[in-house]
């Protein structure tokens, strides 16, 4: 299987509108970060999207994504869900609803935020709304998506519990500050890890780069890719400082892994 990083930027994206810092003005491709999301592709053509970021439409067009078989939601923060509306193209192309998985808390917040999608108003006469089939998951119990076993795990992100997902030898752990012990157990044997690594300055809800490196060392995947980065991270400068086995993600990065 394969994971493509569709976006590795924090909630503002990078460049940040109106910012004149050196990273925002660098023009370097690896310093341009759309909002955090990823696409998992299987050999049989199945494609599973992680989150519908605010930049989903742009990501879908840029990477020529031809189908979405399911969406796994990590949590309900705006940067991870606001592209939900743009799943409509896939409803048209695939002629059916798209299943979306998340915890009770995540799904109920998505349903509240996209009230017009899930509680249709008979007097609404805009265009069609996305067709999404929500599925509640228990974030400690493995479940199946289109024939693939998905092992969810919990991540503490400030006061929010975020869902991480392990598929085969790959695990995706965005938006976190603390990994509970049970999560370390679920991550045993992972060879490709995508992990939150916001910036160097401390943050109450996100791992800093040094904190992420310590977590990466403990999990000891062969390759750990940091994601959800701010505009304080220059790709080349920070990449040169990272320990062996830890790399910065970038938009469009593709990594193979075994199921
Ligand atoms: Zn986020
Ligand atoms: Zn900036
Ligand atoms: Zn978040």
């Amino acid at each position: 299987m394969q994971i493509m990083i569709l976006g590795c930027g924090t909630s503002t994206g990078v460049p940040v509108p109106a910012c004149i810092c050196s990273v925002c003005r660098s023009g370097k491709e690896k310093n341009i970060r759309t909002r955090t999301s990823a696409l998992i592709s299987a050999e049989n053509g199945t494609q599973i999207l992680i989150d519908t970021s605010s930049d989903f439409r742009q990501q879908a067009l840029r990477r020529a994504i031809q189908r979405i078989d399911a969406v796994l939601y990590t949590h309900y923060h705006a940067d991870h869900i606001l592209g939900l509306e743009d799943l409509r193209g896939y409803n048209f192309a695939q002629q059916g609803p798209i299943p979306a998985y998340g915890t009770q808390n995540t799904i109920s917040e998505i349903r509240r935020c996209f009230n017009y999608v899930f509680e249709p108003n008979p007097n609404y006469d805009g265009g069609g709304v996305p067709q999404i089939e929500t599925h509640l998951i228990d974030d400690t119990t493995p479940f199946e998506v289109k024939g693939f076993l998905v092992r969810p795990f919990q991540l503490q992100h400030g006061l929010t519990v975020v869902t991480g997902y392990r598929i085969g030898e790959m695990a995706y752990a965005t938006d976190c500050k603390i990994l509970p012990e049970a999560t370390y157990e679920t991550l045993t044997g992972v060879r490709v890890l995508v992990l939150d690594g916001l910036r160097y300055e401390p943050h109450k809800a996100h791992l800093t780069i040094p904190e992420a490196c310590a977590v990466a060392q403990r999990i000891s995947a062969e390759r750990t890719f940091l994601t959800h980065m701010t505009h304080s991270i220059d790709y080349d400068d920070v990449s040169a400082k990272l320990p062996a086995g830890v790399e910065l993600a970038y938009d469009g990065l593709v990594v193979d892994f075994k199921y």
Side-chain angles (χ1 to χ4, degrees):
M1 295 180 90
Q2 208 170 58
I3 181 166
M4 178 189 273
I5 300 297
L6 297 177
C8 65
T10 192
S11 56
T12 54
V14 181
V16 180
C19 183
I20 56 163
C21 81
S22 60
V23 172
C24 286
R25 288 185 308 167
S26 71
K28 284 195 246 171
E29 209 180 318
K30 289 178 179 173
N31 281 343
I32 297 173
R33 306 183 178 109
T34 59
R35 265 61 72 85
T36 293
S37 168
L39 182 73
I40 294 160
S41 306
E43 241 166 18
N44 70 0
T46 300
Q47 301 214 106
I48 300 170
L49 180 66
I50 304 183
D51 291 332
T52 49
S53 88
S54 318
D55 293 315
F56 175 60
R57 181 172 187 278
Q58 187 188 337
Q59 294 164 346
L61 293 172
R62 177 119 196 253
R63 308 299 167 196
I65 300 172
Q66 293 303 311
R67 62 176 297 114
I68 301 285
D69 294 287
V71 183
L72 303 177
Y73 278 106
T74 59
H75 65 310
Y76 62 83
H77 286 165
D79 48 327
H80 297 262
I81 69 168
L82 286 173
L84 178 144
E85 172 73 22
D86 293 318
L87 289 171
R88 280 196 301 161
Y90 299 95
N91 291 143
F92 302 145
Q94 297 164 203
Q95 300 186 351
I98 295 171
Y101 298 80
T103 59
Q104 166 86 56
N105 187 37
T106 298
I107 295 295
S108 65
E109 284 294 311
I110 290 173
R111 294 182 75 99
R112 191 178 61 79
C113 183
F114 289 90
N115 183 261
Y116 72 96
V117 171
F118 297 103
E119 314 278 336
N121 173 348
N123 298 319
Y124 176 84
D125 65 354
V129 299
Q131 296 163 49
I132 313 293
E133 220 174 63
T134 56
H135 296 266
L136 297 184
I137 61 158
D138 165 5
D139 57 11
T140 59
T141 308
F143 58 100
E144 221 178 85
V145 175
K146 302 288 167 188
F148 295 95
L149 185 72
V150 178
R151 281 187 270 174
F153 52 87
Q154 295 180 341
L155 300 163
Q156 199 66 45
H157 173 43
L159 296 175
T160 307
V161 179
V162 169
T163 312
Y165 294 101
R166 175 176 181 167
I167 298 180
E169 295 182 344
M170 185 284 302
Y172 187 86
T174 189
D175 292 63
C176 54
K177 179 70 176 177
I178 294 166
L179 285 70
E181 280 309 307
T183 288
Y184 281 104
E185 278 165 38
T186 305
L187 295 181
T188 304
V190 154
R191 293 167 90 157
V192 173
L193 173 66
V194 181
L195 182 64
D196 188 359
L198 186 74
R199 61 184 187 193
Y200 280 88
E201 300 74 32
H203 190 284
K204 66 181 189 329
H206 289 276
L207 292 168
T208 62
I209 302 267
E211 287 167 347
C213 289
V215 170
Q217 191 181 23
R218 177 161 173 203
I219 294 169
S220 68
E222 272 161 35
R223 299 181 79 185
T224 298
F225 297 92
L226 304 186
T227 192
H228 213 291
M229 290 168 278
T230 74
H231 63 151
S232 65
I233 303 300
D234 176 75
Y235 181 86
D236 295 323
D237 289 356
V238 174
S239 289
K241 293 192 263 186
L242 294 175
V246 181
E247 301 164 61
L248 298 185
Y250 54 86
D251 287 22
L253 168 73
V254 174
V255 187
D256 291 327
F257 66 90
K258 281 202 198 108
Y259 173 60

